[in-house]
Amino acid sequence: MCGINGFLSKSTYKSDDFLKRMNAKIIHRGPDEDGFFTENFNGTTLGMAMRRLSIIDLTSGKQPIFNADQSKVIVFNGEIYNFKSLREELKSKGYTFYTSCDTEVVVNLYDCYGTVAFSMLDGMFAFSLLDKTTNTLYIARDFFGEKPLYYCQSEDSLIWASELKSILEILPSKPEIDTTALNLYLQLTYIPAPYSIFKNIKKLEANHYMAIDCNTMETEVFSIPQSKKQYQIADKNEAIQVAHDLVRESVASRSISDVPLGTFLSGGVDSSIVSLCLAQQSDRKIETFSIGFDKKSFDESEKSRAVAKLINSNHHEFIIAEKDLESNLSEILLNFDEPFADSSALASYVVAHKTKQYVTVALTGDGGDEVFGGYNKYYMGKLNHRYTSLMPETIHKSILKMGDVLLKTSEDNRGKRFKINRLLKAINYQGDFYYNIISLGFQGAELKSILNPSYSISQPLHYYKSLIGNHHKTLTDFRNIDLHLSLEGDMLVKVDRTSMLTSLECRAPFLNKEIWNFTNQLPEEYLINGWDKKHLLKEAFKGYFPKDFLNKSKKGFGVPVGDWLKSQLKDELLHYTNPEFLTKQGLFNATVVTQLVQNHLSGKIDNTFRVWTLYCFQKWYVNYYGG
């Protein structure tokens, strides 16, 4: 696990200086060692660099790594979980290895199979690989997008990096804000690939690779084709057994490590099953880690304690108060390098920071909801169809107006009124409802009203609707939208940045493309049976837990930022939303923003999600552009 950087340029670059500066910006991703490679191609200079967090092959895995005749060279960030079987396959073809690390397997796999090798990898990765025989550079990203990869391209240069801060370090001037990305952020509260907050800086999309001619700088982007095993499942009982076996196999493959390893244990279905599997497969007590909150409505630490007792783990529990985050708030938010308003990132950082004191690798339950159908929002297709078939649109509009009055809340408790209000606002008579339910910030007319006209666009999600489609009805449709948007743009960004900021590697057994392939072939009622979410997964593992334990509700990784905005963050928020500052900034409608903030601070209306979204943006903006 590490971070990578690089550039290809026809300009006169100070290769060593630039690479060292880029590497210095991501030392948290790889504090153990660094590595550099440079090459010249008829006036074009290539530089590749990396920072390493040693997990496997601690002594001989230093990068960059070459194939046997040194015609191919790679710098790599990630973990390949099937590298041992791939190495044996390559050995049978005559390949020899001078390390025991997965990176050497990747470069030799490419040497053997070409770009087909990229589809053979089971794992999380971002890498750059030079093929000297064709003077072609390849930059690739994993199936789910667990590992980040930014790039900035001009006529005479290409710069890429694991984090934006490395690219910004060597650009000659500050880039401008990308208008589409700004609108996406305000609507979704994050910015999914291929956009970044800056013009001309993009994210390589998940399951894609770039091929760049080092002589001409010509570039093409390709999706990585995946071969899909076809499952012939006779009935639900067989599906339950296959799900059980695939999950256990995935946990085992993601437990290979030469350093101490543990699990995040929230007490929910996913983390409980991962922790159980690891405990059963380990020959000693495993380490489990959880956090709770001193605000009881957000605290669920009792559930994690129950699981820890059941699996007999060495359990570590950390209770968070507001003061625990006060000194780290700016570091956490600004480490994303672009605005990011998923408040659970704060809790993710705390548990990662605490966990790093005991282990270097942590397994998580991330991805279980997307893969096995675990979100409440997946009910939306059924609810939207029933509601719109019974309720005329004109009456619905009247209900919305009443809901704004009757369902408004004054505190950040995210209870029934909050959920009903969100549900009503997501209802859509044109089949566009799922995009509404995942938009946690500003939508439609409200988004337009908060921005100055020159920064407002009519369809922020146009790219994704053209890619994925617009009218969605099935659970598979909803999960596919999450794969491209919420998973890549929000959850995986949160986990990667907060864990790597503490130099902790997180692995997610549910984010296994074979499990994804399997569940996509099942009847949808296997995943959500009536109103029973994650039905198949719970059926596969219910025998290991007390009766109905896996059916207990869970709130999620909530953080009471709505309260904080009224207390310790109030002065900073007021500074960021001062009418004079907003007018000078020129992005927002000062009158609308001021009213929104005042309604929240006065307790008139709880505007937690939207005010927090504005706060995070303004904090990022001031840090980068000043003000």
Side-chain angles (χ1 to χ4, degrees), residues 141-347:
R141 193 176 180 202
D142 66 73
F143 180 81
F144 291 101
E146 290 184 76
K147 292 292 104 181
L149 196 55
Y150 293 85
Y151 67 95
C152 178
Q153 192 168 20
S154 64
E155 289 185 2
D156 63 355
S157 69
L158 173 72
I159 311 169
W160 66 92
S162 293
E163 296 189 18
L164 260 174
K165 55 178 63 71
S166 293
I167 295 177
L168 299 174
E169 172 66 18
I170 66 169
L171 288 181
S173 60
K174 290 184 178 181
E176 298 177 4
I177 289 175
D178 183 275
T179 302
T180 300
L182 172 62
N183 281 260
L184 283 170
Y185 167 75
L186 292 171
Q187 181 168 344
L188 297 171
T189 71
Y190 57 88
I191 303 170
Y195 296 97
S196 88
I197 192 59
F198 297 112
K199 286 183 179 179
N200 300 322
I201 301 181
K202 294 183 177 182
K203 304 180 183 97
L204 184 63
E205 292 179 82
N207 198 46
H208 280 70
Y209 73 91
M210 298 177 67
I212 307 100
D213 186 312
C214 294
N215 295 311
T216 65
M217 300 289 295
E218 291 182 6
T219 302
E220 289 188 90
V221 179
F222 303 92
S223 62
I224 300 174
Q226 299 289 341
S227 59
K228 298 179 180 179
K229 176 182 176 181
Q230 295 301 310
Y231 287 86
Q232 302 297 325
I233 302 297
D235 53 31
K236 188 165 73 172
N237 286 334
E238 184 179 353
I240 289 170
Q241 186 60 52
V242 173
H244 174 275
D245 295 345
L246 284 175
V247 170
R248 287 183 61 85
E249 290 167 9
S250 191
V251 171
S253 69
R254 281 141 178 82
S255 304
I256 299 172
S257 174
D258 293 334
V259 294
L261 178 146
T263 71
F264 289 167
L265 177 57
S266 68
V269 171
D270 305 323
S271 66
S272 296
I273 289 173
V274 168
S275 298
L276 170 85
C277 291
L278 183 63
Q280 290 178 337
Q281 295 166 3
S282 178
D283 57 3
R284 59 183 178 181
K285 274 190 174 186
I286 69 167
E287 308 291 326
T288 55
F289 305 88
S290 70
I291 60 170
F293 294 92
D294 58 358
K295 184 174 181 177
K296 292 302 178 184
S297 61
F298 285 82
D299 183 49
E300 297 186 295
S301 53
E302 183 179 342
K303 295 178 183 177
S304 58
R305 264 180 255 135
V307 177
K309 183 178 180 180
L310 175 70
I311 65 176
N312 192 31
S313 67
N314 291 321
H315 190 55
H316 310 268
E317 184 179 295
F318 314 108
I319 302 298
I320 300 176
E322 289 186 28
K323 60 182 177 60
D324 297 319
L325 288 169
E326 189 171 359
S327 60
N328 296 109
L329 183 67
S330 293
E331 181 185 16
I332 298 166
L333 294 180
L334 297 178
N335 184 59
F336 288 95
D337 298 331
E338 53 185 340
F340 184 79
D342 184 340
S343 61
S344 65
L346 304 176

Side-chain angles (χ1 to χ4, degrees), residues 379-607:
Y379 295 143
M380 193 60 205
K382 187 185 299 184
L383 291 171
N384 193 84
H385 175 71
R386 289 185 181 180
Y387 184 93
T388 55
S389 63
L390 295 171
M391 190 71 63
E393 188 172 3
T394 52
I395 297 179
H396 172 65
K397 290 180 180 178
S398 299
I399 292 174
L400 280 179
K401 291 179 181 178
M402 289 189 292
D404 285 338
V405 176
L406 299 176
L407 296 173
K408 68 181 181 181
T409 56
S410 58
E411 292 186 3
D412 179 21
N413 58 19
R414 306 177 201 184
K416 289 183 180 179
R417 285 195 296 172
F418 168 83
K419 292 175 181 177
I420 293 172
N421 197 26
R422 274 201 65 206
L423 176 62
L424 285 173
K425 289 184 176 180
I427 293 291
N428 186 279
Y429 286 76
Q430 290 75 45
D432 212 13
F433 55 86
Y434 195 74
Y435 289 106
N436 291 343
I437 202 72
I438 65 171
S439 297
L440 298 180
F442 302 87
Q443 298 182 47
E446 189 178 37
L447 175 59
K448 186 176 182 180
S449 71
I450 204 168
L451 284 166
N452 280 339
S454 59
Y455 285 94
S456 177
I457 62 176
S458 59
Q459 293 289 334
L461 293 168
H462 172 74
Y463 172 80
Y464 305 99
K465 291 179 180 181
S466 64
L467 178 70
I468 311 167
N470 190 18
H471 301 290
H472 300 279
K473 297 181 179 180
T474 68
L475 175 59
T476 301
D477 292 336
F478 308 151
R479 291 167 59 233
N480 197 42
I481 293 174
D482 280 348
L483 177 69
H484 287 87
L485 283 166
S486 310
L487 191 61
E488 184 279 334
D490 181 2
M491 193 193 75
L492 297 180
V493 174
K494 172 187 68 179
V495 173
D496 176 80
R497 301 306 190 282
T498 55
S499 62
M500 294 310 296
L501 182 58
T502 68
S503 302
L504 175 77
E505 177 179 302
C506 286
R507 300 177 181 176
F510 289 114
L511 292 180
N512 181 316
K513 60 185 180 181
E514 190 52 48
I515 300 179
W516 176 264
N517 174 46
F518 167 66
T519 56
N520 275 356
Q521 296 181 38
L522 298 175
E524 293 187 353
E525 60 267 25
Y526 286 11
L527 302 183
I528 297 183
N529 188 343
W531 300 105
D532 184 22
K533 298 171 295 181
K534 272 188 290 205
H535 175 71
L536 186 74
L537 180 63
K538 290 188 289 187
E539 286 294 302
F541 287 92
K542 68 180 182 181
Y544 299 106
F545 294 91
K547 185 179 179 180
D548 292 329
F549 180 87
L550 295 179
N551 289 318
K552 291 182 179 180
S553 62
K554 183 177 180 297
K555 294 186 178 68
F557 232 11
V559 179
V561 294
D563 296 343
W564 299 352
L565 289 166
K566 297 176 183 178
S567 54
Q568 68 190 66
L569 302 180
K570 180 179 178 179
D571 290 342
E572 191 178 10
L573 172 64
L574 289 173
H575 170 70
Y576 292 154
T577 56
N578 179 284
E580 183 178 347
F581 175 77
L582 291 169
T583 301
K584 180 181 177 182
Q585 185 182 22
L587 297 176
F588 300 106
N589 182 322
T591 302
V592 175
V593 169
T594 302
Q595 186 64 52
L596 183 80
V597 171
Q598 286 303 322
N599 283 343
H600 182 77
L601 293 179
S602 67
K604 184 177 180 181
I605 304 173
D606 177 60
N607 287 321

